[in-house]
Amino acid sequence: MMPAFLKEFISKAPTEPGIYIFTGPSNKKSRFALRSDSIENPRQGRDKAQLANRGSSMSKTSGLYIGKASNIKARLLSYLKTTDHRILQMLSRATGIKTLETDSEIEALIMESQYIKRYQPPFNIMLRDDKQFFYVVFGNENFPKISITHQPRQGTDFVGPFTDGAALKTTLRYLRKAFPYCACKKPHNNFCLNYHIGKCVGFCCLKKTELNLEHKALREYKKNIKALKDILGGKKTPMIKHLEKEMIALGKKDKFKKAIEVRNKIEKIRRVFKNARIIKENFAEIFNFKQLPRRVEGYDISHIQGKHAVGAMAVFIDGEPDKNEYRKFRIYAKNTPDDTAMLKEILTRRFNHPEWKMPDLILVDGGKAQMNAAREIIKNIPIIALTKDEKHLGIKFFVTGKNNPVLLSKIPATVKNLLLRIDSEAHRFAISYHRQLHGRAGLELP
């Protein structure tokens, strides 16, 4: 594929989430030939035309590589800068590109999994040789457990493959709110915390649970597991239609409480797939971001008049904390309460680690001074500084590229809650580390 063709295609590519397919010459004996009508597509009518009009005819090509993106145009742009010889080899064989837009990143993740499983494009295998696909495995217990693995055992019940483990975990966390399932590692005597917050049916992890196979809790649990399989397997639409019929039937039988429960479940499912799009539009409108920041790093400082000063970095991926990526910093340069200088120190040290994944957005605690200090260290990543009042409550944001602050009261709840949660988590992590060091210093002999 010539760079000029790729550039021209990218200029017209959508900025929506979805999947993209690099195609090459068809082989009649190959199992990689693609058909646009074989897998459920949330934007089916429009995308069939899209598939027919972009690149060469689907019937004359086969899939070389299938990928997903939160922003198809932005993802394809990265192929113009690649130096990976395997990707360059794939591009040299590619003769066309197809795209399929979805309504959310979650749907893109699921659609990519379906296409890879069905067509097994050769370069998806080659380009994963240093990584592994992810699979969601469903156990065979009375209350089946759910786990993520790279290599499902033969005979196990699983859905996959998925290419993005972080996005898959986020999807399961969202879906668990609509379809509770057990995540407890050991049985216990009393109902777990997840039961009380609606993420577990309760009976599944009790030590003394004697349920027959017809028990209501067991039936409900297995319905939840089937629903999860259906959604992850790309059958969201028929499952929602089934729930809508069930809701109507319950209403006709005057079982209004149960009908409301089913209606709420339908709304939760729709919210799972809609949430990412809402946040993306709120980020685009408020902060002028072209795409939804996937990895957000939040920073905070903790000290007592400059003593035992520490910094903390909390990391959120796809709107959820990833504690394996958290980092803590002991601050050495200052013994005076200079938060701006301390912030510059930890950001300098953080960005001296090119092996750490780069963020799409940075959130710092402070005002315009902190934002400007961060900008001295970081040139090409958007920065948001959260300003708080004397009660330590957020009141406004300063944003790189904007002269005036953005009032917290003017920000939609979805965006505001996400940013406040990141800030709160960075603050908690910094305080925890500071107390650890302060306590240790108190034990030292004079």
Side-chain angles (χ1 to χ4, degrees):
M1 175 178 290
M2 300 297 292
F5 173 85
L6 183 55
K7 285 181 181 178
E8 183 182 358
F9 183 89
I10 291 172
S11 68
K12 301 174 184 177
T15 57
E16 304 301 316
I19 68 169
Y20 56 93
I21 306 164
F22 283 98
T23 61
S26 172
N27 180 348
K28 292 183 179 179
K29 296 182 180 180
S30 173
R31 58 185 167 182
F32 307 131
L34 298 173
R35 285 172 35 226
S36 63
D37 60 347
S38 57
I39 293 177
E40 179 189 338
N41 178 4
R43 296 185 171 189
Q44 194 168 19
R46 185 183 69 187
D47 287 330
K48 278 188 179 179
Q50 198 176 53
L51 282 165
N53 293 328
R54 291 187 178 174
S56 52
S57 170
M58 194 62 100
S59 62
K60 297 179 182 178
T61 60
S62 61
L64 298 178
Y65 180 77
I66 298 171
K68 72 169 181 66
S70 59
N71 179 323
I72 296 174
K73 181 191 285 284
R75 181 68 184 91
L76 290 175
L77 277 169
S78 68
Y79 286 92
L80 293 172
K81 305 173 184 177
T82 186
T83 57
D84 189 313
H85 73 278
R86 298 168 302 175
I87 295 178
L88 291 172
Q89 182 184 351
M90 182 272 291
L91 290 174
S92 71
R93 289 180 54 184
T95 57
I97 314 172
K98 318 295 178 185
T99 63
L100 281 164
E101 296 172 42
T102 61
D103 289 324
S104 69
E105 291 179 59
I106 291 176
E107 284 175 320
L109 174 77
I110 293 170
M111 182 180 285
E112 178 199 38
S113 171
Q114 291 176 278
Y115 270 74
I116 290 174
K117 181 177 181 179
R118 176 163 295 193
Y119 302 115
Q120 300 180 32
F123 281 91
N124 280 88
I125 307 301
M126 176 188 288
L127 294 172
R128 299 296 297 186
D129 62 2
D130 59 340
K131 303 176 184 177
Q132 288 181 307
F133 289 115
F134 298 87
Y135 299 84
V136 179
V137 176
F138 302 90
N140 57 7
E141 306 91 346
N142 280 338
F143 291 97
K145 300 278 188 178
I146 294 179
S147 59
I148 296 176
T149 183
H150 290 302
Q151 295 180 330
R153 295 178 183 175
Q154 189 173 4
T156 56
D157 192 4
F158 65 88
V159 179
F162 297 93
T163 60
D164 190 332
L168 180 58
K169 290 175 184 177
T170 300
T171 300
L172 284 173
R173 279 195 289 266
Y174 282 136
L175 290 174
R176 194 177 175 196
K177 296 174 184 178
F179 304 102
Y181 59 87
C182 186
C184 294
K185 295 182 179 178
K186 295 181 179 179
H188 38 79
N189 292 317
N190 299 312
F191 287 122
C192 63
L193 174 62
N194 283 316
Y195 165 75
H196 293 290
I197 61 175
K199 292 184 178 180
C200 180
V201 298
F203 296 96
C204 47
C205 43
L206 292 180
K207 283 184 177 179
K208 297 179 180 178
T209 302
E210 296 181 3
L211 300 176
N212 62 52
L213 295 178
E214 298 300 319
H215 192 279
K216 178 183 175 182
L218 182 57
R219 293 199 309 271
E220 189 67 25
Y221 190 97
K222 292 196 171 181
K223 282 174 65 177
N224 288 352
I225 295 297
K226 184 181 183 306
L228 288 167
K229 288 180 192 175
D230 286 347
I231 290 177
L232 293 173
K235 299 176 182 176
K236 180 195 73 170
T237 301
M239 190 201 64
I240 288 179
K241 288 181 178 178
H242 172 76
L243 288 174
E244 288 173 339
K245 288 179 181 178
E246 182 182 347
M247 177 183 68
I248 293 169
L250 288 167
K252 289 179 178 179
K253 295 178 182 178
D254 294 337
K255 296 181 179 180
F256 298 115
K257 184 177 179 181
K258 187 66 178 175
I260 290 171
E261 290 177 4
V262 176
R263 182 198 66 189
N264 291 341
K265 187 164 289 189
I266 294 170
E267 287 304 312
K268 285 180 181 178
I269 298 167
R270 286 178 173 151
R271 202 175 301 131
V272 166
F273 291 93
K274 187 179 180 183
N275 190 50
R277 176 171 291 276
I278 292 173
I279 293 176
K280 178 178 178 178
E281 291 169 354
N282 292 337
F283 266 102
E285 180 182 348
I286 299 166
F287 301 123
N288 294 329
F289 293 169
K290 294 182 180 179
Q291 63 185 79
L292 178 67
R294 186 172 180 205
R295 179 187 172 103
V296 184
E297 294 179 0
Y299 293 86
D300 199 12
I301 307 291
S302 181
H303 59 87
I304 300 176
Q305 295 299 309
K307 303 294 184 183
H308 312 298
V310 300
M313 175 181 93
V315 179
F316 276 58
I317 297 176
D318 292 328
E320 293 292 334
D322 187 342
K323 296 188 178 180
N324 291 327
E325 297 286 312
Y326 283 23
R327 298 291 184 268
K328 51 191 178 183
F329 306 84
R330 192 166 184 174
I331 295 171
Y332 300 102
K334 284 277 185 176
N335 273 324
T336 57
D338 188 341
D339 285 7
T340 302
M342 292 178 181
L343 176 64
K344 288 177 70 174
E345 178 183 338
I346 65 170
L347 287 175
T348 299
R349 287 162 57 189
R350 183 263 178 266
F351 284 94
N352 280 337
H353 286 277
E355 74 277 13
W356 296 359
K357 293 180 180 178
M358 289 293 107
D360 303 304
L361 173 66
I362 287 173
L363 176 67
V364 298
D365 192 83
K368 200 164 188 177
Q370 281 76 13
M371 186 188 71
N372 291 335
R375 176 52 71 213
E376 291 181 28
I377 310 299
I378 308 150
K379 303 298 183 184
N380 300 317
I381 300 172
I383 301 167
I384 294 177
L386 173 60
T387 303
K388 299 174 183 175
D389 60 19
E390 63 278 1
K391 295 181 180 179
H392 208 68
L393 298 175
I395 52 173
K396 59 186 176 183
F397 289 107
F398 285 94
V399 186
T400 48
K402 277 182 171 282
N403 294 324
N404 298 319
V406 179
L407 294 178
L408 201 68
S409 58
K410 301 295 184 181
I411 297 176
T414 48
V415 175
K416 176 172 66 177
N417 292 341
L418 174 60
L419 294 175
L420 290 178
R421 188 180 173 204
I422 295 168
D423 175 76
S424 176
E425 186 64 1
H427 182 70
R428 179 200 65 77
F429 194 45
I431 289 288
S432 175
Y433 183 41
H434 175 261
R435 286 174 178 166
Q436 178 186 341
L437 289 184
H438 190 213
R440 189 183 301 163
L443 294 174
E444 295 176 356
L445 292 175

